[in-house]
Amino acid sequence: MTPTDTTDGAATRPPVVLSIAGSDPSGGAGIQADLKTFSALGAYGCAAITALTAQSTRGVTGVHVVPPEFVTAQVRTLVDDVALDSVKIGMLADAAIVEAVGELLGDRLGAPAVLDPVMVATSGDRLLDEDAVAAMRELVPRAAVITPNLHEAAVLLGTEVAADVAAMERQACQLVERLGARRVLLKGGHATGEDAVDVWFDGDRVELLRAPRVDTRNTHGTGCTLSSAVAALFPQRASWLEAARDAKDYLTGALRAADGLGIGAGNGPVHHFHDVWGRA
């Protein structure tokens, strides 16, 4: 669906997107990045929080996990009242929450989900223990699209990190053929090369989504932002691939404008409102 235009003063209903993810107090990643992305792209954002983090642009110093039954309560209470058009799933913290969200996908949500399988940081640091990774593999076929980074794809497949685009293409296909993913957007933005290349595979066709690499250290939240952009744009586009292409373009613009924010002393956030601020 697309936002409804009216001329008689009646309320309009934009696409409604739910983020199920962790909180980032610095505002660059997690729930905060998702809600900013939804708003920037014309969608109304809702959120169910899976974990609180003590975090800044310099790193994470602590994580407080929400009990899985309360994650379920947040979502069920919401969907009893609010109809959803799509869902973005981010940090799920532990195996119990992964399993709870899997049950929600099969039971209550009633909207297609974009799963960002937050398991491994771009530095290579593991963010989930092995039992949670096993649960994540079971969640993969329930999502409409999964958006792993290179390290996460390798963990899901139990293989080495892809070293080039050809290896990325193979792993995107393996995620569909071996794990049952329906569609894959394999994020390669942190690999080397003049272009930032992501690989799309939907079971039928492989597409390379390319954009010029942006020279900035302010990349905090890029993965969260890309996946939430896909979720926000899908109700407004003709296909998942079109949503993924436009999400890639949006993220590239947010990266180009990131140095203008000056947030924090570490790796700062992308500029989610790069195409909105300054218009007023």
Side-chain angles (χ1 to χ4, degrees):
M1 65 163 289
T2 57
T4 302
D5 294 324
T6 63
T7 57
D8 59 0
T12 62
R13 184 189 184 280
V16 178
V17 188
L18 168 65
S19 172
I20 305 174
S23 170
D24 172 11
S26 77
I31 288 284
Q32 288 83 347
D34 294 345
L35 293 176
K36 290 175 184 178
T37 301
F38 298 160
S39 295
L41 294 174
Y44 181 87
C46 302
I49 297 177
T50 60
L52 306 177
T53 68
Q55 184 174 175
S56 72
T57 65
R58 292 174 170 171
V60 179
T61 61
V63 177
H64 181 72
V65 178
V66 175
E69 60 270 17
F70 196 73
V71 174
T72 297
Q74 291 178 73
V75 174
R76 286 184 172 173
T77 300
L78 173 70
V79 299
D80 281 346
D81 176 51
V82 177
L84 303 176
D85 295 295
S86 61
V87 179
K88 179 265 172 78
I89 301 169
M91 177 186 180
L92 297 182
D94 63 21
I97 294 178
V98 176
E99 291 167 359
V101 170
E103 292 177 3
L104 288 166
L105 282 177
D107 176 35
R108 297 297 296 274
L109 282 173
V114 177
L115 171 63
D116 189 16
V118 180
M119 301 181 300
V120 188
T122 53
S123 63
D125 294 332
R126 290 287 290 267
L127 302 177
L128 285 181
D129 56 24
E130 188 56 39
D131 67 332
V133 172
M136 186 68 74
R137 291 189 182 104
E138 296 298 316
L139 187 59
V140 163
R142 301 187 181 189
V145 182
I146 66 168
T147 64
N149 63 29
L150 298 182
H151 293 283
E152 289 158 349
V155 170
L156 285 170
L157 292 168
T159 189
E160 297 295 320
V161 175
D164 53 34
V165 173
M168 289 175 62
E169 292 182 25
R170 288 193 297 272
Q171 290 191 7
C173 294
Q174 289 168 357
L175 287 165
V176 171
E177 294 163 0
R178 289 173 47 189
L179 295 189
R182 295 161 64 185
R183 301 169 188 86
V184 176
L185 179 60
L186 179 52
K187 299 176 294 193
H190 289 273
T192 59
E194 292 185 2
D195 289 342
V197 181
D198 300 332
V199 173
W200 170 269
F201 182 59
D202 59 11
D204 294 318
R205 59 190 294 190
V206 173
E207 293 278 343
L208 301 184
L209 307 186
R210 295 181 179 271
R213 187 171 301 282
V214 179
D215 184 16
T216 178
R217 72 171 185 171
N218 295 319
T219 59
H220 183 52
T222 51
C224 301
T225 298
L226 182 61
S227 57
S228 57
V230 174
L233 289 169
F234 172 65
Q236 306 176 71
R237 298 294 187 267
S239 69
W240 282 109
L241 178 55
E242 185 179 341
R245 286 192 182 119
D246 289 351
K248 173 83 166 178
D249 290 343
Y250 166 75
L251 176 59
T252 301
L255 282 163
R256 285 175 177 152
D259 289 353
L261 283 177
I263 304 298
N267 295 321
V270 303
H271 195 332
H272 295 94
F273 295 111
H274 65 279
D275 199 33
V276 179
W277 288 8
R279 290 184 181 178

